Every structure is written in structure tokens, then in C-alpha cells.
Amino acid sequence: MRNHDDTICAIATAPGTGAIAVLRLSGPQAWPIAESVFQPASGKPLPARRANRLHFGRLVRGQETLDEVVVGWFRGPRSYTGQDVVEISCHGSPYLQQKALELLLDRGARLARPGEFTQRAFLNGKMDLSQAEAVADLIASTGEAARRLAMDQMRGGFSRKINELRQRMLAFTSLVELELDFSEEDVEFADRAQLDLLLGGIASLLRGLVESFSHGNAVKNGIPVAIVGQPNVGKSTLLNRLLDDDKAIVSEIAGTTRDLIEDTAILAGRSFRFIDTAGIRETTDLVEAIGIQRTHKTIEKAKIVLLVVDARDSLRHIGKTVQRFKKANDMAHKHLVVVANKADMLSSLERDLVFRHNIPSFDPKDHLLALSAREDADLLALRALLVELSNLHGQGQNEVVVTNARHYEALTRAEKAIARAQEAIAARTPTDLLAQDIREALHFLGEITGEITNDQILANIFANFCIGK
Amino acid sequence: MRNHDDTICAIATAPGTGAIAVLRLSGPQAWPIAESVFQPASGKPLPARRANRLHFGRLVRGQETLDEVVVGWFRGPRSYTGQDVVEISCHGSPYLQQKALELLLDRGARLARPGEFTQRAFLNGKMDLSQAEAVADLIASTGEAARRLAMDQMRGGFSRKINELRQRMLAFTSLVELELDFSEEDVEFADRAQLDLLLGGIASLLRGLVESFSHGNAVKNGIPVAIVGQPNVGKSTLLNRLLDDDKAIVSEIAGTTRDLIEDTAILAGRSFRFIDTAGIRETTDLVEAIGIQRTHKTIEKAKIVLLVVDARDSLRHIGKTVQRFKKANDMAHKHLVVVANKADMLSSLERDLVFRHNIPSFDPKDHLLALSAREDADLLALRALLVELSNLHGQGQNEVVVTNARHYEALTRAEKAIARAQEAIAARTPTDLLAQDIREALHFLGEITGEITNDQILANIFANFCIGK
């Protein structure tokens, strides 16, 4: 465990020029260091009990005034880190920020490592590890759904769920451990049938959490939407319209898009990650062949696939394309939306035919939209469908959702340990082996909230933070 | 004058992702608006007397928690703007910042215009106009000298000087105005000799301030250093070494640098604006000819000119180049540094000769350095010389220095009005004309601190601020 008896400081606001910037100090010397560089405008000495108060005055280096600042004082443990904390608001010139930081370093503070303030909060019991991780997620959130999940997790929703599971297991563990003390006597304090029932319940809760990850991950990183289709059906135009910019090269030459083009758009507060792909036809062009290989991988990862076809083709041809596509790709956990593009070139009769799903052997579970990527109204319909599909796909708003790959891994491991324990009960395995599986499951759950941790885990987690948090 | 009875809000920290971001509210509804979106973690109602206090809690939109925040309360007139002010520290995600800002706008705040917080501070008498301008200068400062000048001005050093001048003039003005009341009687309450003496004193103080502008402006925007010399003597290499990057295209083809290249470097806390120029030889190339025309303008504006010559040329040739250059350009208020570049290609004997200033008719007031732009040690020597020259050029640290073009203009006008008043006294012009000149001088001095102002002046000044300040 890293030493946190020293006093750390950092610029806590975004880099660059602003009206104001905030520097943050945390540690036993935070107040004395701030005192040594601050002269209150009142001219009166600072009151001893100044926690949660603001003072206006001068930031000084000896006789020289560096800036006029507002200083806020927090007394540990009633602070973000649980230590004494000072926040100094100075004018937002990058030069001044740098000078103010240097001044604090000169007075004995140390530059904070990324996430070190939050790490101290964790080490001082102000939050558990999954809450600390949510702080970083919150800062990184770019859409409403991601913000909400991070906020729930930061406020302890996820931790409560995990702790509930742990508490239920701990009760039985103590009984199982007791059996080990009396192992020579072959007694069973823990009712195996009841234990099995409990493990079954826990296993199903774990399953739900593990499964929520694919949704949670999608919300956090954007719901992956693959845009596929034969060359020149208008995939890039569609992508551009969805993204409202000109990232993909749109051209009339078949096979123009060689590389995967990926970008994120926010629709109804949800983030969608759109991936345009090279055409899915057979090709002899090497570069395009690589692109096509990537297409298949992209489709695998996608939650929603937009298969773009040319609405001017015969319905039979479109039907065949869809069938061929579904044969080549596993659509089990995905939504397929067939987008019959260039429908503006059709007569309204033809367009109706397409709409009426008159395509041969079209699966009613799949979706179809005949549209023109150039028409705003058509785009609105497509966006609405995407939002609807992302809702069907996801959980309700109040359920706990796993968004963190580390949690996902720990949960998966806990699930496996529980499965082994269930097998052990079924096979009437000796108590010591059963106890070990349960201990292991507890261990992995404990890793999530940080009851069980080590320097490596902490280092990995906090390295992803920004400095100043 | 713009209405400032409404409540304004803005994000006050730099744009982008940080650990925290600060939103600021100012106006009569600042406290009620903040109350309506804030729930203290204590669960207790907020105390009525909470000025200069910090509260931790939740930023809420109805039932939903948007973020966990710290809120600081300031009660006008003891606040930055002189109005009630609230500062909300939220997590630094750009998405969250936007959401929090939208929430405040929904609750009835209006998005602040650039500089509107500082403008309110001015309108409420928290600072005068030159202090308000210094806030923007402080935020824009990129070096120690500029920071110090802005800080002095913000803390009122400059304003005091101006007010002193105004007070001294006002005393006499009242006497002169009194004469106007008795104009039929032809009395002189104001002793003309004493008035002339006073005006002379004021004129010389004004002169000092007006002259300080060229220094103040240089400190604020960088001391302009022109790099001139014939093609292929290594001007671009020298510039790159001074700037430590590869902005200018360095090549062995004579006349490569067609355009002016300009960049700023900070040496010993002072900002230098280096300007590379096209060669100064005669040319038939049109593009280069334009470049050469610009060269002359650049030299006019420069405070220091680095005339780069090839150290391998004969001393006679170098001497001629220097003479020709000094004949073509007015060096009256500038420092000339002859840089004999490529001195690494010389034998040490030759180098010594160059160092010994053996160049024919070399002016001992000018400086000469034989160096190689590729040698770190040589570059250090050049940098040290530049810092020294910038010191010789400037004022002492404690003198009041004009950095603002608007102030410069007002001071110049005041100076002219004083000169006219002095002439009026000498010519024994009627009192009413004399009074008018003095009133005019007072007017221009008043413009600086904002005692006399109008909407247009204010709009111009605050338009240069960032939003949130």
C-alpha cells in the first residue's frame, strides 16, 4: 500500500485557459502549506475552525503577490479524501496555474499521481473500490445513460448489491468453516440442501449481473451498430447522415470505403457507436479483402446490424441478399435492420411493396425500413428505430448494471467458483474442498468493492484517472 | 448600460475534461436558483447565513441526482461581482458540465456573456475599468513579466497613479471653473505660473506613462526580435534553435524562407517574439520581393534586431553588410546584435579575430556574437544577451507601466490636451478655452479608470474576456 502520509497537490480543473482554475491539496500538511502561501484580504488571522469556509485573499510567495484567490478549507475525515483538504481557486491562466502549483510543491507538497485523491478516499474508507471506479466513469461519461449508470454506481447501488451477496454467503461460510474445526467428527452444521438453495439463488443473481455487462458495456462505450452491405448501396452516406458530418469518403466508385470507419452519436441520451464496413461481396482486391475480414469481426461485436441494400433491386434479389447474410453471420443476440436505401428513386407503388415486407422469406423478427439516406424525415424514422431497439435490448433503468470489465471478470470467476461449490454439494465432496470454493467466490466478490485488494489492482485502476481527481 | 438585474451563469473553468469543473451564478436569483437544484448531504436545511461557506450534496433535477457537488455561497456586496454569487464544483465531464449548465438555465438563469461577471464587478464598484482589464490580461499572461504587470494593474497600482494625476488637476480645475463664474470681472483665482508648473509636472508624468507603453506592450505581447540577414546565412536554423522546434523550413537553397515566421519563446520569464524574415539582398523574385518589403516593416517594429552574417566571410565584407544595414534602417531605439553564424567552420584564430571586433568601423554600442547556431553553448550565450538587452530596454520592476492600447490612446490624448493648455497659458488665452483643454485631459484620464465611460467602450473591453469571467 502506498504511503499516504504526505501531502499531495494537483490542478483539478481541465487544462487550458479558463476564467478560474482550482488547485487541490490533500494530506496532513494541506492546511499548514496553504496557510504559508495565503494572506486573507480581511487582514485578520484565519480562524482555527475554518472547515467548510471560503476565504478571499492573496496567494503569496514571500513578499510577492502571485494572484488573488479564494481558498476553501475541508477538515478530514469530512472531506473528499478523508484527509485535510484545501482547494485554491486562482485565475485561469495556464501560466498562473503552473506558478501556483510550483509554489505548493516548493512548500513541501508532492505532485499527485493520477487518481491519487480518489485513491486516498478509498484507502480512508470514504468509498469502496467500485464507487471509486465510478468516479472515473462519471468524468468520462458522454451520454445520459452512461452518466446515470456511473452515478448509480458512485452512489453505491452496485456495491450494495455485491455486499448483499457477500453477506448471504458469509453466513453460510462461517457454518462450513465451523465444520472444518470439527472435521474429525464428520458433523454438518450447514444444511446442504439449504446451502444448495442459497448457492442457486446467488448463481442466478451473478448470472444476471454478468449478463448485464454486455448492456452496461454498450451503454458506457456506445451500443455498437455495424453498417454492412454490398458496395455502392450508400453505406457511407447513411453513416454520415447518422453522424451529421463527413468522416467517410462518399463516392460513386464501388468499394470506396476500405477501412472501418467508426464514430459515436448520441440519440435520446444513449451513445451509439456506428461502424461502417467495406462491402460484403467477394473480392480479389487485397486491401478490400482485409476490410471484408474485419467486417465479419465487426458484425460479431455489433448489437444492431444495419444491412443496407439498394431499394431499386428486385425484391427477390434483396431477399436473397438478406438470406445469404443471415447464413454467413450469427444473428442470435443481435437486431437486424434491413435498410432499403435509395428508395427516393422508386415510384411510390414500389416503395409500398418494399414496405409491405413482400421480400421472399423475410423473417418477421427482423426489421425493414425503405428510405433515402438523403431525406431528413427518413433519417428520423431510422434513429427512432435504433433507440427503440437499444431499449428492448437493455435492462430497465433501476436495475444494477455492470459496466466495468474488471467487475465482469471478478463476477465471472465468482460464478465459476459457485458452480464448483454446487457440484461439490451434489457430489458430497468433503467439506474442506467445498469451503475453498466458497472462499474463492467470496474473494472475487470482495475484489469488486475492494475489501480484498492489492497494490497491482489499485495501480491499474487509478492509473486510468486524470491527475487532480 | 446593460441591465444587470437578472441572474447570469457560466462554466468558469477551462473547457474539456478535468477532475472538477466550476459553474458560477451571479445575480439576485443566484441563491434561490442554486437552492432549487441542490440538496445538502447533511439532510438539514441550508442555514440562512451561509455566506462564504461550503456545502457538499447532490445536484438534482426533480427526483434525479445529476451529480454530487460542492457549493460555495457568496453574499453581495462581499463577492467578486458585488452581487449574490454561487459557485458549484461538479465532476469535470464535459457532458455533466453541459447538463448542469442547462439545469441552471432551466431554473431561470441566463448564460453570461464574455466578461459579464467582471463587468458586473465594475458596474458595482468592486474594481475600476483598468483593474477589470487587468483581469483579462492576467488570465492571458504567459510569462512572469506580463503576470506581474497585470497583477500590479489589477491590484490598483496603475489606477492609483492615474487618480493621483486627476486629483492634482481637479484642484486647479475648480479654481479655473470659478473664474468662469466671475468671467465678467476678469479675476484669476488660479495662479497661472503655478498652474503652468503643475501642468508641466503632469505632462512629464504622462510622457513617462506613454513611453512605458512600448515596453509594457513588449512585455505583454513579447519583445519583438527581428532576425535578418542575407539568404543562406542560417537565419531559419537560428530561429528554430531559439524556439526549439522546426517551424521554419531549413534548407541549403538560398532564399527558402519566403514568408515571415513568427513565434514566441519565454526566456527568464520574459516573452520574446521572434520574427524570421526573407533575405535582405536585392532580388528580382516577386514573392521574395514582397518578403523583403515586409522585412523592413518588421525591423521598424523590432526592439532587438539579430543581423545574421556568415562568419566565414571576410571581416571587411561583414563590416560592409553591417554598415549597409544600418544605413537602410533606423536603429535609434533598437539594439543591434550582429550574429556571425557558422563560426564552427572557422579556425579558432579566425574566430578570435571576429570576437575581437576587428570588423572595420564597427560601432562599439552594437553587439557581436560569433557562434554556431548548432552549438548549445553558443545558443546559451545568445539567449543571455537577449535577456540582458530586454532588461536594459525596460523599466524597473516597481514602476507603473502601460500595457493596454486603450490606455495608451487615452494617455496620448490627455497629453495633447495638457500641451494645448500649456500653450494657452503661455499665450494668455481666455480662461474658457483653457478650462476646456483641462476638462478634456481630465476626461481622457477618467476614461482609463472608467469614471467616464459609455456602452461602446464597455462592450469592446468585455468582448475580449472569456465566458465565465
Side-chain angles (χ1 to χ4, degrees):
Chain A
M1 199 67 51
R2 278 164 170 170
N3 170 32
H4 60 288
D5 291 340
D6 54 356
T7 298
I8 53 174
C9 68
I11 298 165
T13 43
T17 300
I20 61 169
V22 178
L23 289 101
R24 198 182 241 182
L25 279 160
S26 174
Q29 293 301 306
W31 283 33
I33 288 174
E35 270 166 47
S36 77
V37 297
F38 178 66
Q39 289 187 357
S42 66
K44 287 180 275 186
L46 289 162
R49 295 179 62 177
R50 57 179 174 272
N52 304 318
R53 280 173 190 269
L54 291 160
H55 292 97
F56 173 68
R58 293 180 300 128
L59 187 70
V60 292
R61 181 192 278 279
Q63 291 301 309
E64 190 190 18
T65 300
L66 214 57
D67 196 4
E68 295 190 338
V69 297
V70 171
V71 177
W73 312 82
F74 301 87
R75 181 65 91 186
R78 293 186 56 202
S79 72
Y80 180 70
T81 61
Q83 303 183 302
D84 289 353
V85 166
V86 179
E87 288 187 358
I88 302 174
S89 296
C90 66
H91 284 91
S93 129
Y95 176 77
L96 258 181
Q97 295 177 39
Q98 197 56 41
K99 286 285 138 187
L101 189 63
E102 283 169 14
L103 180 61
L104 299 178
L105 297 174
D106 284 355
R107 290 294 179 272
R110 167 172 72 68
L111 190 63
R113 284 181 286 259
E116 200 169 1
F117 290 91
T118 307
Q119 187 172 3
R120 290 187 171 196
F122 163 67
L123 294 174
N124 289 320
K126 299 293 290 186
M127 53 177 77
D128 71 29
L129 205 49
S130 92
Q131 289 176 301
E133 285 168 304
V135 172
D137 288 349
L138 189 64
I139 290 173
S141 67
T142 56
E144 184 53 24
R147 182 200 68 76
R148 194 169 294 179
L149 286 182
M151 181 59 64
D152 284 351
Q153 186 175 325
M154 191 177 86
R155 306 204 70 224
F158 182 59
S159 308
R160 267 192 298 279
K161 190 98 173 185
I162 297 294
N163 282 330
E164 230 175 82
L165 286 178
R166 284 197 90 216
Q167 288 312 319
R168 287 170 69 175
M169 282 175 71
L170 275 169
F172 265 89
T173 314
S174 51
L175 291 178
V176 172
E177 300 276 350
L178 202 58
E179 288 176 17
L180 290 178
D181 293 341
F182 294 85
S183 55
E184 318 247 311
E185 292 161 47
D186 198 22
V187 291
E188 283 191 3
F189 294 104
D191 180 328
R192 289 299 184 270
Q194 236 184 307
L195 182 55
D196 197 39
L197 204 68
L198 171 69
L199 290 179
I202 290 172
S204 109
L205 284 172
L206 281 174
R207 186 90 293 262
L209 286 174
V210 165
E211 277 173 359
S212 77
F213 177 65
S214 90
H215 172 64
N217 193 47
V219 167
K220 191 168 147 185
N221 298 316
I223 296 153
V225 181
I227 304 180
V228 298
Q230 292 185 316
N232 216 20
V233 292
K235 299 189 296 296
S236 300
T237 312
L238 190 69
L239 176 67
N240 287 346
R241 292 303 310 277
L242 284 166
L243 296 178
D244 277 323
D245 71 22
D246 283 84
K247 189 153 279 195
I249 322 128
V250 184
S251 100
E252 288 296 314
I253 306 154
T256 310
T257 309
R258 295 291 162 80
D259 226 326
L260 297 182
I261 291 165
E262 191 174 327
D263 216 329
T264 303
I266 313 270
L267 307 178
R270 259 160 213 259
S271 156
F272 290 81
R273 201 149 41 81
F274 291 103
I275 310 141
D276 184 14
T277 61
I280 52 164
R281 58 158 192 179
E282 296 300 310
T283 181
T284 49
D285 183 324
L286 182 68
V287 179
E288 191 158 328
I290 294 170
I292 289 169
Q293 224 174 29
R294 289 202 206 146
T295 300
H296 282 292
K297 285 202 180 151
T298 301
I299 293 167
E300 260 176 47
K301 287 184 198 157
K303 292 287 151 199
I304 300 172
V305 177
L306 301 184
L307 174 59
V308 187
V309 296
D310 192 323
R312 297 164 303 179
D313 284 342
S314 72
L315 295 182
R316 210 176 130 264
H317 178 85
I318 294 175
K320 261 195 174 165
T321 305
V322 174
Q323 273 181 283
R324 224 171 47 228
F325 177 80
K326 291 185 74 170
K327 212 168 152 188
N329 296 281
D330 176 17
M331 289 286 115
H333 296 298
K334 308 180 199 312
H335 296 290
L336 178 64
V337 179
V338 178
V339 177
N341 191 21
K342 308 194 181 182
D344 54 331
M345 294 171 178
L346 294 178
S347 74
S348 59
L349 177 67
E350 287 171 308
R351 192 159 174 171
D352 276 356
L353 284 176
V354 174
F355 266 115
R356 272 186 220 133
H357 294 208
N358 274 331
I359 297 164
S361 60
F362 190 84
D363 185 339
K365 282 208 312 271
D366 294 335
H367 305 263
L368 189 138
L369 268 185
L371 53 73
S372 161
R374 298 179 197 284
E375 287 295 329
D376 288 342
D378 288 3
L379 256 292
L380 275 181
L382 177 56
R383 289 203 176 97
L385 178 60
L386 287 171
V387 170
E388 190 193 320
L389 293 179
S390 77
N391 284 334
L392 285 176
H393 189 268
Q395 261 82 347
Q397 282 193 0
N398 293 321
E399 267 185 60
V400 169
V401 171
V402 178
T403 60
N404 185 302
R406 190 182 71 82
H407 300 175
Y408 173 72
E409 204 189 316
L411 287 167
T412 310
R413 287 183 176 185
E415 199 187 6
K416 281 185 188 150
I418 294 283
R420 279 197 303 277
Q422 285 178 299
E423 282 164 29
I425 290 173
R428 305 207 64 82
T429 321
T431 306
D432 53 346
L433 292 178
L434 175 64
Q436 196 183 317
D437 287 331
I438 294 177
R439 256 186 250 121
E440 218 168 279
L442 275 170
H443 174 92
F444 290 123
L445 292 181
E447 263 190 9
I448 292 175
T449 51
E451 312 231 350
I452 289 147
T453 189
N454 63 47
D455 280 5
Q456 193 51 51
I457 292 179
L458 291 186
N460 285 343
I461 289 172
F462 291 103
N464 293 323
F465 275 64
C466 52
I467 287 184
K469 193 66 217 177
Chain B
M1 199 68 51
R2 277 162 171 172
N3 172 31
H4 60 289
D5 290 340
D6 54 356
T7 298
I8 53 173
C9 68
I11 297 166
T13 44
T17 301
I20 61 171
V22 178
L23 289 101
R24 198 181 243 182
L25 279 160
S26 174
Q29 292 302 306
W31 283 32
I33 287 174
E35 270 166 46
S36 77
V37 297
F38 177 66
Q39 288 187 358
S42 67
K44 286 180 277 188
L46 290 162
R49 294 182 61 177
R50 56 180 175 273
N52 304 317
R53 283 175 189 266
L54 291 159
H55 292 97
F56 173 69
R58 293 179 300 127
L59 187 70
V60 293
R61 180 192 278 280
Q63 291 300 308
E64 190 188 19
T65 300
L66 214 59
D67 196 4
E68 294 189 339
V69 296
V70 171
V71 176
W73 312 82
F74 302 87
R75 182 64 92 187
R78 293 187 55 204
S79 72
Y80 180 70
T81 60
Q83 301 183 303
D84 290 353
V85 166
V86 179
E87 288 186 359
I88 301 174
S89 296
C90 66
H91 284 90
S93 129
Y95 176 76
L96 258 180
Q97 295 177 39
Q98 197 56 41
K99 285 286 137 188
L101 188 64
E102 282 170 14
L103 181 60
L104 299 179
L105 296 174
D106 284 355
R107 289 296 179 273
R110 166 172 72 69
L111 190 62
R113 284 179 287 258
E116 200 169 2
F117 290 92
T118 306
Q119 187 172 1
R120 289 186 171 196
F122 163 67
L123 294 174
N124 289 319
K126 301 291 290 186
M127 52 178 77
D128 71 30
L129 206 49
S130 92
Q131 289 176 300
E133 285 169 303
V135 171
D137 288 348
L138 189 64
I139 290 173
S141 67
T142 57
E144 183 53 23
R147 181 199 68 75
R148 194 169 296 179
L149 287 181
M151 181 58 64
D152 284 350
Q153 186 175 326
M154 192 176 84
R155 306 205 68 226
F158 181 59
S159 308
R160 268 191 297 279
K161 190 98 173 184
I162 296 295
N163 282 330
E164 233 175 79
L165 287 178
R166 286 195 91 216
Q167 288 313 319
R168 288 169 68 176
M169 282 175 71
L170 275 170
F172 264 89
T173 313
S174 51
L175 290 179
V176 172
E177 301 276 349
L178 202 58
E179 287 177 18
L180 291 179
D181 293 342
F182 294 85
S183 56
E184 318 247 312
E185 293 161 47
D186 198 26
V187 291
E188 283 190 4
F189 295 103
D191 180 329
R192 289 299 184 271
Q194 234 182 310
L195 182 55
D196 197 40
L197 205 67
L198 170 69
L199 290 179
I202 290 172
S204 109
L205 283 172
L206 280 174
R207 187 90 291 261
L209 286 174
V210 165
E211 277 173 0
S212 77
F213 177 65
S214 92
H215 172 64
N217 192 46
V219 167
K220 192 169 149 187
N221 298 317
I223 296 153
V225 181
I227 304 181
V228 298
Q230 291 185 318
N232 216 20
V233 292
K235 298 190 297 296
S236 299
T237 312
L238 189 70
L239 176 67
N240 286 345
R241 291 303 311 278
L242 285 166
L243 296 178
D244 277 323
D245 71 21
D246 284 84
K247 189 154 278 196
I249 322 126
V250 183
S251 100
E252 288 297 314
I253 306 154
T256 310
T257 310
R258 295 290 162 80
D259 224 326
L260 297 183
I261 291 166
E262 191 172 329
D263 216 332
T264 304
I266 311 271
L267 307 177
R270 254 159 218 261
S271 153
F272 289 83
R273 201 149 41 81
F274 291 104
I275 309 139
D276 185 15
T277 61
I280 55 165
R281 59 159 190 177
E282 295 300 310
T283 182
T284 50
D285 182 325
L286 181 69
V287 179
E288 192 159 327
I290 293 169
I292 289 170
Q293 225 172 29
R294 289 204 204 144
T295 300
H296 282 292
K297 286 201 179 147
T298 302
I299 293 167
E300 260 177 47
K301 288 183 196 157
K303 291 288 153 198
I304 300 173
V305 177
L306 302 184
L307 174 59
V308 188
V309 296
D310 192 323
R312 297 164 303 180
D313 283 343
S314 72
L315 294 183
R316 210 178 131 262
H317 178 84
I318 293 175
K320 261 195 174 165
T321 306
V322 174
Q323 274 182 281
R324 225 174 40 230
F325 177 79
K326 291 186 71 170
K327 211 167 152 188
N329 296 283
D330 176 18
M331 289 286 114
H333 295 301
K334 307 180 200 313
H335 297 289
L336 178 64
V337 180
V338 179
V339 177
N341 191 22
K342 309 193 182 183
D344 54 332
M345 294 172 179
L346 293 180
S347 73
S348 60
L349 177 66
E350 287 171 309
R351 192 158 175 171
D352 276 357
L353 283 178
V354 174
F355 265 115
R356 270 186 223 135
H357 293 207
N358 272 331
I359 296 166
S361 62
F362 190 83
D363 185 341
K365 282 209 310 270
D366 293 336
H367 305 264
L368 189 138
L369 267 184
L371 53 73
S372 161
R374 297 179 198 285
E375 289 294 329
D376 287 343
D378 289 3
L379 256 291
L380 275 182
L382 177 56
R383 288 203 176 96
L385 179 60
L386 287 172
V387 170
E388 192 192 318
L389 294 180
S390 77
N391 284 335
L392 285 176
H393 188 268
Q395 262 82 347
Q397 283 192 358
N398 293 321
E399 267 183 63
V400 170
V401 171
V402 179
T403 61
N404 186 302
R406 190 181 71 83
H407 300 176
Y408 173 73
E409 205 189 314
L411 287 166
T412 310
R413 287 185 176 183
E415 199 188 6
K416 279 185 190 151
I418 294 284
R420 278 197 304 277
Q422 286 177 299
E423 282 165 30
I425 290 174
R428 305 206 66 81
T429 321
T431 307
D432 53 344
L433 292 178
L434 175 65
Q436 194 183 319
D437 289 328
I438 294 177
R439 256 187 249 125
E440 217 169 282
L442 275 170
H443 174 92
F444 291 124
L445 292 182
E447 263 190 8
I448 293 175
T449 52
E451 312 231 349
I452 289 146
T453 189
N454 63 49
D455 280 4
Q456 193 50 50
I457 293 179
L458 291 186
N460 286 342
I461 289 172
F462 291 104
N464 293 323
F465 275 64
C466 52
I467 287 182
K469 192 67 219 179

